[in-house]
Amino acid sequence: MTKELIINKDDFETRIALIEDGKLAEIFIERDESTPKHGNIYKGKVMQVLPGIQASFIDIGWEKSAFLYAGDFFEIEGSDYDFFESGAEESENGENCTSETETGRGSKPDLKRKKPKRNRKGLPNIDQLVKKNQEILVQIAKEPVKTKGARVTSHISLPGRFLVYMPTSSSIGISRKIRSDAEKKRLKNIVLKYRSEGTGFIIRTAAENASEIDIERDIKFLTSLWNNIYNEQLKAKAPELIFRDIGLSLRVLRDFLNKKIDKIIIDEKEEYKKITEFLSIQSPEYINIVELYKGKGGASLFDRFSLEKEISKSLNKKVWLKSGGYIVIDHAEALTAIDVNTGKFVGKRNFEDTILKTNLEAAKEIAFQLRLRNIGGIIVIDFIDMAKEDSKEKVYRTLEESLKNDRVKTTINRITELGLVEMTRKRTGNSLAAVFLEQCPMCEGSGMIKSTQTICFEILRAVSRHAKRTRAKKITATVHPGVMNKLYENEKIIKALEEKINKTINIKMQDGFYPEYFEIS
């Protein structure tokens, strides 16, 4: 499989497309009005401590206070990093990790914490951890989504090319995707050799087969970065930004660049220079795959790869399958619902085979769309009902296998008797829909507006009310063109109303009106 990173940079937006075998697989967007937030570190001030929900609200200088959950103070539960005395951890990209805990005195003892007493739910009590008006160093774990503020953690993590540095922990985690026990042992020994006593690291999948020099370089870079952050926060007064994560292009390179990337194409000279300078320090062996696009024939870089059309298609609710079936993707406040339909596909043998083929094709497409659209949270898939258990098993296995291409952690449950699959996909920033779309001012997010017949009757009632307040002999209703046509279909009702109010009703069309909007004069 060939993989290319296509980087489009202009004055107001950076867009990066990951193309796999000529097909758009993932898209990343960063706009000036929404500079990087995830990974940023702030010195915040505790505004409220709420023992009832085991959480506190932290002022970090944003319009909405950030949310610090008790579990995110001592252990990051359900987030990017989960720490255990033994068991599993996750890296920044949701990589499964095994963990070994090393004891020792940290280099910054005031940021190390003893384990507090736990409540019945296994969490430390929030009022034991923070007090109102206390200043605290926190990092953005989850960006704000709609009405929800940002979720922060007090466990700082700094991702590098091969490692994630954890200055407030003493654990060493190793990605489960590294299969070889010998390689795991080699990497662990290298980290133990060069790390400061009592500090923690997660060894990322990209570290597999990396040289000792590369690992040492990552450790020195991340340790130096943390020392600068630590010294900066000593001088700062909350709320204040202490550290801003690197820009989108460098973040994507840091997290994606490996031997599987065949080419990187950039269309802006300054961005090209920045990337080549970054690679010359971090990974000089990859500079030869970087190319500056010079706009052959005047075509933009995204147009050259037909990406504008692909992005527009990825915002549609309905996605057609090759067989003629289709899936419908609906976003709700609490979850995303995906419905599978046979559509125009009628099959060749029997109904069960038709359903199975549609569901199998849908399972692959759904896994692809979740990744492309960056859909996170709870997801419910309504497959077409299948009578045979082996058919259900095939669909489940196909979905499970297709999700392995997704770098983001997913959890999937088996198909229920109703043909439903319940799954979760880790949130990593806003979905594509949240970035490109906004709520319709007419339907206010419902996806529905009043029918033209309903609007017509509302207009006639408004005319009737207005007639009682005026001596004028003529009343004008200015309406949307589609509503005007419907009113003419109700000519008998309008005539009857004119006789009742003893006034002439004039209908006037206005192109710029929303269907539900009208004016009576």
Side-chain angles (χ1 to χ4, degrees):
M1 178 184 288
T2 59
K3 291 186 179 183
E4 298 171 300
L5 283 175
I6 310 300
I7 303 175
N8 165 236
K9 169 77 175 176
D10 49 40
D11 294 334
F12 46 86
E13 188 176 58
T14 301
R15 300 183 299 173
I16 302 179
L18 173 64
I19 298 178
E20 294 179 349
D21 284 341
K23 187 176 181 181
L24 178 63
E26 293 188 55
I27 182 79
F28 308 90
I29 310 287
E30 185 173 277
R31 294 173 173 171
D32 285 349
E33 69 268 23
S34 58
T35 50
K37 297 182 181 71
H38 184 276
N40 285 3
I41 299 172
Y42 294 82
K43 190 169 189 179
K45 187 174 183 179
V46 180
M47 305 305 294
Q48 284 182 290
V49 180
L50 305 172
I53 59 172
Q54 286 297 299
S56 61
F57 287 97
I58 314 294
D59 179 13
I60 57 173
W62 294 6
E63 183 179 350
K64 290 182 179 179
S65 293
F67 182 83
L68 177 63
Y69 185 56
D72 289 337
F73 189 94
F74 185 72
E75 292 175 354
I76 306 178
E77 298 178 358
S79 186
D80 288 339
Y81 306 100
D82 293 331
F83 301 111
F84 303 91
E85 294 298 324
S86 61
E89 295 178 349
E90 291 179 355
S91 78
E92 182 200 10
N93 288 325
E95 297 167 341
N96 293 323
C97 301
T98 56
S99 168
E100 297 188 30
T101 301
E102 307 289 333
T103 57
R105 188 164 51 88
S107 57
K108 307 296 182 185
D110 55 326
L111 289 177
K112 298 286 183 179
R113 296 185 279 279
K114 293 181 179 180
K115 291 186 179 181
K117 293 180 180 179
R118 303 258 171 160
N119 58 28
R120 286 181 299 174
K121 294 182 179 180
L123 295 172
N125 291 314
I126 191 67
D127 51 5
Q128 292 180 298
L129 301 173
V130 292
K131 304 296 180 185
K132 188 175 180 180
N133 296 323
Q134 175 184 338
E135 293 190 343
I136 183 172
L137 197 67
V138 294
Q139 185 173 33
I140 306 297
K142 291 184 180 179
E143 295 187 21
V145 178
K146 296 181 181 178
T147 59
K148 298 178 181 178
R151 181 169 173 172
V152 296
T153 174
S154 64
H155 278 263
I156 309 301
S157 58
L158 301 172
R161 175 76 178 88
F162 303 105
L163 307 169
V164 177
Y165 180 45
M166 305 175 295
T168 62
S169 173
S170 56
S171 297
I172 293 181
I174 303 176
S175 171
R176 283 182 178 162
K177 292 183 179 180
I178 300 175
R179 302 293 184 184
S180 168
D181 290 337
E183 179 65 3
K184 288 181 180 181
K185 185 177 180 180
R186 183 187 76 89
L187 292 169
K188 178 195 166 189
N189 288 336
I190 294 172
V191 172
L192 288 173
K193 180 179 178 180
Y194 292 105
R195 70 162 187 165
S196 298
E197 185 183 7
T199 58
F201 284 92
I202 288 176
I203 301 169
R204 304 178 69 178
T205 306
E208 187 171 18
N209 299 321
S211 69
E212 183 172 334
I213 294 174
D214 286 334
I215 302 296
E216 180 190 7
R217 184 195 303 159
D218 231 22
I219 291 174
K220 286 182 177 179
F221 169 75
L222 293 171
T223 303
S224 174
L225 177 61
W226 166 246
N227 287 335
N228 291 337
I229 292 169
Y230 181 82
N231 292 329
E232 187 68 26
Q233 67 91 24
L234 291 176
K235 301 179 290 182
K237 183 174 178 61
E240 188 172 328
L241 174 66
I242 304 298
F243 167 75
R244 188 191 303 277
D245 200 4
I246 55 179
L248 179 65
S249 297
L250 300 187
R251 290 203 311 276
V252 170
L253 286 176
R254 179 188 68 195
D255 297 337
F256 279 83
L257 189 59
N258 52 48
K259 293 178 181 178
K260 294 179 182 177
I261 297 293
D262 299 286
K263 187 179 288 187
I264 303 167
I265 307 176
I266 309 152
D267 66 358
E268 204 263 342
K269 288 184 180 179
E270 287 301 315
E271 196 72 5
Y272 172 81
K273 182 180 178 183
K274 186 194 300 183
I275 286 171
T276 51
E277 287 176 352
F278 174 81
L279 290 176
S280 66
I281 298 170
Q282 291 288 323
S283 303
E285 65 272 25
Y286 295 110
I287 289 182
N288 61 349
I289 68 170
V290 183
E291 175 187 321
L292 177 63
Y293 180 72
K294 297 180 180 179
K296 299 175 183 177
S300 71
L301 181 56
F302 266 41
D303 282 334
R304 164 73 177 77
F305 287 88
S306 301
L307 294 175
E308 302 290 4
K309 292 180 180 178
E310 289 300 314
I311 293 171
S312 295
K313 282 170 60 179
S314 68
L315 300 174
N316 294 337
K317 285 179 61 175
K318 182 181 286 189
V319 180
W320 286 97
L321 305 174
K322 291 180 180 179
S323 64
Y326 63 90
I327 62 174
V328 178
I329 303 172
D330 276 306
H331 299 281
E333 186 72 23
L335 55 82
T336 298
I338 302 177
D339 187 38
V340 181
N341 299 276
T342 53
K344 296 178 285 188
F345 180 55
V346 294
K348 294 181 179 179
R349 295 193 210 170
N350 55 59
F351 190 50
E352 182 70 16
D353 287 342
T354 301
I355 290 173
L356 177 59
K357 184 175 180 180
T358 304
N359 281 341
L360 290 172
E361 194 175 351
K364 294 177 183 178
E365 185 64 32
I366 287 168
F368 174 78
Q369 291 293 330
L370 293 178
R371 183 182 173 200
L372 174 61
R373 300 176 187 230
N374 196 26
I375 297 172
I378 300 171
I379 300 157
V380 177
I381 306 169
D382 184 9
F383 285 105
I384 306 169
D385 288 344
M386 293 169 284
K388 298 178 181 179
E389 288 301 320
D390 63 329
S391 295
K392 293 180 182 180
E393 183 65 19
K394 286 179 183 177
V395 172
Y396 172 81
R397 291 296 178 195
T398 300
L399 179 61
E400 186 180 49
E401 187 65 28
S402 300
L403 288 169
K404 288 181 180 179
N405 295 324
D406 197 340
R407 65 188 176 87
V408 177
K409 182 182 178 182
T410 57
T411 303
I412 175 173
N413 294 327
R414 292 193 170 275
I415 300 177
T416 68
E417 291 183 3
L418 297 176
L420 300 177
V421 168
E422 298 165 354
M423 62 173 289
T424 60
R425 185 176 185 271
K426 182 177 170 53
R427 290 191 188 276
T428 57
N430 289 320
S431 67
L432 214 58
V435 173
F436 283 103
L437 306 178
E438 63 181 27
Q439 194 177 79
C440 170
M442 288 305 300
C443 71
E444 297 182 345
S446 71
M448 306 284 285
I449 63 171
K450 295 173 183 176
S451 68
T452 51
Q453 187 67 72
T454 301
I455 297 168
C456 287
F457 291 160
E458 286 186 355
I459 292 169
L460 295 177
R461 290 190 188 97
V463 168
S464 182
R465 288 193 298 271
H466 191 76
K468 297 175 182 177
R469 300 194 297 266
T470 180
R471 294 181 179 178
K473 291 296 182 182
K474 185 170 73 172
I475 296 176
T476 299
T478 307
V479 302
H480 180 273
V483 176
M484 180 178 181
N485 293 334
K486 194 68 175 179
L487 280 168
Y488 284 141
E489 292 178 13
N490 291 273
E491 186 177 0
K492 290 183 179 179
I493 299 175
I494 294 174
K495 291 292 183 183
L497 181 59
E498 284 179 327
E499 292 180 7
K500 182 178 179 180
I501 63 177
N502 196 26
K503 298 179 189 297
T504 302
I505 300 172
N506 180 42
I507 309 298
K508 185 179 177 182
M509 179 182 73
Q510 181 61 49
D511 286 331
F513 278 12
Y514 289 118
E516 292 185 6
Y517 182 76
F518 58 86
E519 291 179 353
I520 306 297
S521 61

